[in-house]
Amino acid sequence: MRYIFETPAITSLPIIGREERFPVRRVFCIGRNYAEHAREMGAAVDASAPMFFCKPADALVTDGADVPYPQATSDLHHEVEMVVALQSGGMDLDAAQAAASILGYGVGLDLTRRDLQAVFKAKGHPWDVAKAFDHSAPMSALRLASEVSPDADTQITLHVNGTLRQQGRLGEMVLGVAEIIVALSKLFELKPGDLIFTGTPAGVAALVRGDRFHAQLHGIAVLDGRIV
């Protein structure tokens, strides 16, 4: 097969303890999956109608690379999240199939151009440009599910310049991991290589150039980086 220009490189993530990397297909995200975060954003939570959106695979920032401050915003916000990587997929999965589809876990930031999001929300317009921009998803290496088993007491935290900004427990999620996968599989055919950002706890706030962040899914994954 010949193409008119060079094909883009495949976005991939390192896997802790393995030479192979995880090739990324799609990046799904769920909004309003922690009640306290929904309240701080002035939004209601409806567990029966989860809110999903996507980021392009090449929005990921991997291997500890610097994160460029994006254009067209003066209010860039952090949202720390557990990220789930899939090794299999399908449609209309049940809970057991959803659990079996998980390859591993990591921690990432769902960066948001909050000022643009507010403008589009006020107009009732889609706010993809507030979420799916370049470099909007810094991401850690993955830890295999065969090695770890996050539970309701697993903590997720974000420090910026050494100060704690966000802290939560996975048990505070409105929908658990298997429930998220089941719900997504009713809307999309999930496949190996898909990533799922599972929502952020309260405490979202602004990042500026020069900020250093330390995100941690305790006992599982760590992400360090800086905004440049």
Side-chain angles (χ1 to χ4, degrees):
M1 179 71 69
R2 297 180 62 187
Y3 298 99
I4 197 168
F5 52 80
E6 186 176 348
T7 57
I10 296 174
T11 301
S12 65
L13 294 170
I15 302 171
I16 297 168
R18 297 283 290 270
E19 292 185 4
E20 303 96 331
R21 293 176 68 94
F22 178 86
V24 179
R25 175 179 174 265
R26 287 183 173 177
V27 180
F28 297 101
C29 307
I30 183 172
R32 303 174 186 174
N33 201 34
Y34 285 76
E36 286 297 322
H37 170 60
R39 279 192 282 272
E40 75 179 348
M41 299 304 297
V45 175
D46 183 355
S48 67
M51 185 185 71
F52 294 113
F53 59 94
C54 295
K55 292 175 181 273
D58 63 6
L60 290 170
V61 180
T62 68
D63 300 278
D66 289 342
V67 181
Y69 195 94
Q71 63 196 87
T73 186
S74 58
D75 195 21
L76 177 69
H77 276 211
H78 56 71
E79 298 187 8
V80 66
E81 310 199 8
M82 176 176 69
V83 184
V84 177
L86 301 189
Q87 62 185 346
S88 61
M91 296 183 292
D92 297 316
L93 302 178
D94 61 28
Q97 292 169 323
S101 72
I102 299 169
L103 174 77
Y105 305 91
V107 63
L109 297 186
D110 166 18
L111 296 179
T112 304
R113 296 195 277 206
R114 193 71 74 197
D115 44 1
L116 297 186
Q117 185 185 42
V119 168
F120 291 120
K121 285 171 69 175
K123 294 179 178 179
H125 293 172
W127 32 265
D128 297 61
V129 295
K131 289 286 192 178
F133 53 93
D134 298 340
H135 316 294
S136 62
M139 179 68 200
S140 74
L142 296 173
R143 176 81 67 178
L144 292 174
S146 59
E147 300 174 356
V148 294
S149 181
D151 58 27
D153 290 325
T154 301
Q155 287 197 342
I156 185 168
T157 56
L158 175 69
H159 289 77
V160 178
N161 302 325
T163 300
L164 181 64
R165 290 274 189 93
Q166 290 185 265
Q167 183 175 23
R169 295 184 306 107
L170 299 187
E172 297 168 357
M173 292 196 300
V174 176
L175 295 183
V177 172
E179 293 173 301
I180 294 171
I181 296 171
V182 168
L184 268 175
S185 75
K186 297 181 185 304
L187 299 169
F188 303 91
E189 182 180 2
L190 301 177
K191 293 187 178 183
D194 288 341
L195 289 179
I196 305 171
F197 280 64
T198 60
T200 192
V204 301
L207 292 166
V208 298
R209 293 173 180 85
D211 278 349
R212 293 184 178 272
F213 55 83
H214 175 79
Q216 190 169 0
L217 183 62
H218 288 237
I220 297 173
V222 173
L223 170 66
D224 288 297
R226 64 173 182 165
I227 307 296
V228 298

